[in-house]
Amino acid sequence: MKSLENKSIPYKIYLTEEELPRAWYNVRADMKNKPAPLLDAETMQPITAEKLGTVFCEELVRQELDDTTAYFEIPEEIRNFYKMYRPAPLIRAYCLEEKLNTPAKIYYKFEGNNTSGSHKLNSAIAQAYYAKQQGLKGVTTETGAGQWGTALAMACSFFGLDCQVYMVKCSYEQKPFRREVMRTYGANVTPSPSETTSVGRKILEQFPGTSGSLGCAISEAVEAATSQEGYRYVLGSVLNQVLLHQTVIGLETQAALKKYNIKPDMIIGCAGGGSNLGGLIAPFAGEILRGEANYQLIAVEPKSCPSLTRGVYRYDYCDTGAICPLQKMYTLGNGFIPAASHSGGLRYHGMSGVVSQLYEDGLLEARSVEQTSVFAAAEEFARCEGILPAPESSHAIRVAMDEAIRCRETGEEKTIVFGLTGTGYFDMMSYGKFNDGVMGDYIPTDEELQAGFASIPQFPGNEI
Amino acid sequence: MKSLENKSIPYKIYLTEEELPRAWYNVRADMKNKPAPLLDAETMQPITAEKLGTVFCEELVRQELDDTTAYFEIPEEIRNFYKMYRPAPLIRAYCLEEKLNTPAKIYYKFEGNNTSGSHKLNSAIAQAYYAKQQGLKGVTTETGAGQWGTALAMACSFFGLDCQVYMVKCSYEQKPFRREVMRTYGANVTPSPSETTSVGRKILEQFPGTSGSLGCAISEAVEAATSQEGYRYVLGSVLNQVLLHQTVIGLETQAALKKYNIKPDMIIGCAGGGSNLGGLIAPFAGEILRGEANYQLIAVEPKSCPSLTRGVYRYDYCDTGAICPLQKMYTLGNGFIPAASHSGGLRYHGMSGVVSQLYEDGLLEARSVEQTSVFAAAEEFARCEGILPAPESSHAIRVAMDEAIRCRETGEEKTIVFGLTGTGYFDMMSYGKFNDGVMGDYIPTDEELQAGFASIPQFPGNEI
């Protein structure tokens, strides 16, 4: 058995705590074509730091708007928090390789070894830190399934910040486990829409029985942040600042590969809002941009929410409520909502501006996969590698396995690296559907896509 | 801030994969007073290997009965599986120390970094391996909350063994998440009592609406094992073999401490059936038994199920169904059932024979704690150390924190090591009760204990 041979490369490569990255990497500094500036939703002009600062923390605004500084030092307090769950292991999938009988070498960077269960904590702790530094009392945010809310609750409890989470009402009721994790970390969790904001009250008046939406929860969280003294709003994906913090994933991966002199051929990540993918690939994209190396970079998205593979590159609102700034990105339209039968995550209508620009410039390719094939890959992976992956992460597993199987057929000994962003412990109802054989696939029709595109704001240069 | 200083000892001490123990340690070999032999439930005589072999795998029977061999080599295939989630980190609780403002140094061995969420996997993989070696088709077991069943499902899927789990019906219905994890790993999960066994059918006939019990599930699992060709029954705690496999916890802890020249003063573990506690303390107890060192070893149990602190040292059945062998142990009586309001785990009526004998001989002390104080400790720990602990594990956290607070008062710089056996992701309803302030404490009265003791079999030398 191959997995029983003595290994020159361990199952898990752990960097030491001293080797933890000391700075985040801002890939925009190396991009010739910079992502387009954010637009103010009121004026449709590039947004100012001052305007952004009414919603976000000062230092985070600085990070958001800076596209020339290549490295941002990671403050010592954030690095110390990172040490509680980082460096994250880069794992050699010896057992999966053997099961697939492939000559490919497969590695995955595992971000699930923390209570939030995903990479979200990497940015949550940074955002909470800067809020604390600014002397704020607390932060507000929205959460759907609760992964981001959990990460933020953990981060705020560490720094003694108040954490107000607006949780989409149907999730609040159907996912009590996530809600209780957040409460255990001291967060104040409010089902949205609620009576605590004027926008919430207005929606409740109009639609008394509504079970809420992410767009509505964002609106409530932003109102709560701007109407309370000493509060700001924080967001878990899409933004440049979030992608910047997530580069700790890619930097560690790069360092671990270098430590064992491993040269990857392809790097694969799943893509929802794009923060984990962007964080994973940024340092490698940087090498390509600087002409130092070449890699095949692959984004994987669900066929049911195919922003890169079937979307358009336009300015669009980051939120369905159209109150946040506009970003130029690959988008299906802020009005696009994936089918309810889609349970595999990655439901965001758009894509990080940085990821979109890299894709537009051909540095990154994109593939879309059907959810039943994603769950099949997840199950096969779990049964030999032990880890039960999140459905989101399993999109990357699917394509990594497909590539490894292709190597079996061609005989190529490629080195594949993929990002395993989190665990699926809170997704067991979706796994249950798959186990019971009642999970379907859903691919939006061209007409449905056109209807989504219609929600993209039309102005000169932005027409569909 | 203390946690911001440069540290000579890292947050997490990871052994290399080469440093993973090569043999399990059998503490019985160093015990002058050996645990009393198991008794055959039919003959009340010491049980024979042949008789045990009808229920358990051959090699496991050998391990169960051998009280003179000090080390059992860990087969290469088990070590390779261990490498997927071990060596487990020994973590310095810098943040907890700072929060408690204590001069004590606190370390914890974290066993939760695997999908089963606990140390159970350490023995599950060993038991599955020996079943495979023996050429069996599969194994059967029972599970309550599902932790052990999950670990066994993972292990069986790795070796391609059939895994039949009898899950107490009320858990099957109330804990669909755990059920689906097991199914995702390919296990066949049957709500117990069921129509698949004669004992199940009999119980259903007598009590048509019953929601099941662990005793009934054990009976079904044993019947399923003995009535199918090529099947054996496996158990997740209490037995000597399980405790033996769990010594990988203590051996790694010992090695990590030695690597950094750390000398612990006390070692604390939670105690249900005793396998994690026994595995953690065994190598340290061995040092004491051989006169090489001295440590304060502390078992922590719930006040609602106080087998060590209020039980009696007698022969008793390992199962409530009285079909398994009898073991001499500290017990509350096989008929004792902790109050339904007890949600903190560790509900077993007895205690591992090895742990019981060490306690009887004064090598180990025991403390009992109330569940609200356990959840309060869990929450405080989670908020500063990040990890959301299982309620079971949190019994050890409670006493470790109490000891650290005592050090703050006395100024002693003690070094405290405790076992953090798992994560609480599937225990959020219990956390919810605590968060809502509706969790109570329960201490059995002397009369209730007497009623439990009445279920202990009475024979010469075993009277109450």
Side-chain angles (χ1 to χ4, degrees), chain A residues 376-398:
Chain A
E379 193 166 283
E380 195 166 353
F381 178 85
R383 289 184 184 187
C384 62
E385 288 289 319
I387 295 169
L388 184 79
E392 293 83 355
S393 325
S394 304
H395 286 72
I397 298 177
R398 173 73 274 162

Side-chain angles (χ1 to χ4, degrees), chain B residues 400-454:
Chain B
M401 285 174 62
D402 290 346
E403 289 292 332
I405 291 165
R406 191 192 315 253
C407 286
R408 180 178 67 205
E409 286 155 8
T410 64
E412 287 174 289
E413 294 187 19
K414 288 200 177 174
T415 297
I416 300 168
V417 173
F418 71 89
L420 188 70
T421 55
T423 50
Y425 306 141
F426 292 96
D427 300 291
M428 293 322 298
M429 298 326 288
S430 302
Y431 272 96
K433 270 194 221 174
F434 178 74
N435 292 336
D436 290 334
V438 296
M439 175 174 280
D441 285 314
Y442 171 75
I443 303 174
T445 62
D446 286 338
E447 290 68 31
E448 285 168 318
L449 288 188
Q450 288 304 326
F453 294 156

Side-chain angles (χ1 to χ4, degrees), chain B residues 219-432:
Chain B
S219 303
E220 287 204 87
V222 171
E223 183 187 321
T226 51
S227 64
Q228 291 175 92
E229 186 66 31
Y231 281 76
R232 291 292 185 282
Y233 169 71
V234 295
L235 189 64
S237 188
V238 185
L239 296 177
N240 297 327
Q241 54 185 274
V242 181
L243 197 140
L244 176 73
H245 306 147
Q246 296 297 355
T247 60
V248 71
I249 305 173
L251 291 164
E252 281 185 13
T253 303
Q254 198 181 38
L257 291 169
K258 277 189 184 153
K259 196 168 181 170
Y260 284 84
N261 205 18
I262 303 158
K263 171 88 172 60
D265 294 295
M266 60 181 73
I267 296 155
I268 303 167
C270 64
S275 73
N276 104 75
L277 173 80
L280 173 66
I281 65 167
F284 300 96
E287 290 184 48
I288 301 174
L289 287 162
R290 295 188 303 270
E292 297 165 3
N294 209 4
Y295 306 102
Q296 191 179 2
L297 306 179
I298 307 174
V300 189
E301 59 185 15
K303 273 208 192 300
S304 51
C305 192
S307 55
L308 287 173
T309 51
R310 295 178 73 195
V312 291
Y313 194 37
R314 296 289 189 285
Y315 266 111
D316 194 10
Y317 295 99
C318 291
D319 60 317
T320 47
I323 54 169
C324 290
L326 289 86
Q327 177 160 252
K328 191 168 180 193
M329 59 183 174
Y330 273 86
T331 180
L332 298 165
N334 61 74
F336 180 84
I337 295 171
S341 65
H342 173 62
S343 47
L346 309 176
R347 306 171 67 90
Y348 187 62
H349 67 275
M351 182 57 63
S352 139
V354 171
V355 170
S356 293
Q357 187 65 48
L358 290 172
Y359 179 60
E360 178 73 6
D361 291 345
L363 276 91
L364 173 69
E365 55 187 274
R367 305 208 189 146
S368 64
V369 290
E370 295 187 341
Q371 77 171 345
T372 51
S373 76
V374 166
F375 276 85
E379 193 166 284
E380 194 165 355
F381 178 84
R383 290 185 183 187
C384 61
E385 288 289 320
I387 295 169
L388 184 77
E392 292 83 353
S393 324
S394 305
H395 286 72
I397 298 177
R398 174 72 274 162
V399 169
M401 285 174 62
D402 290 346
E403 289 292 332
I405 291 165
R406 191 192 315 253
C407 286
R408 180 178 67 205
E409 286 155 8
T410 64
E412 287 174 289
E413 294 187 19
K414 288 200 177 174
T415 297
I416 300 168
V417 173
F418 71 89
L420 188 70
T421 55
T423 50
Y425 306 141
F426 292 96
D427 300 291
M428 293 322 298
M429 298 326 288
S430 302
Y431 272 96

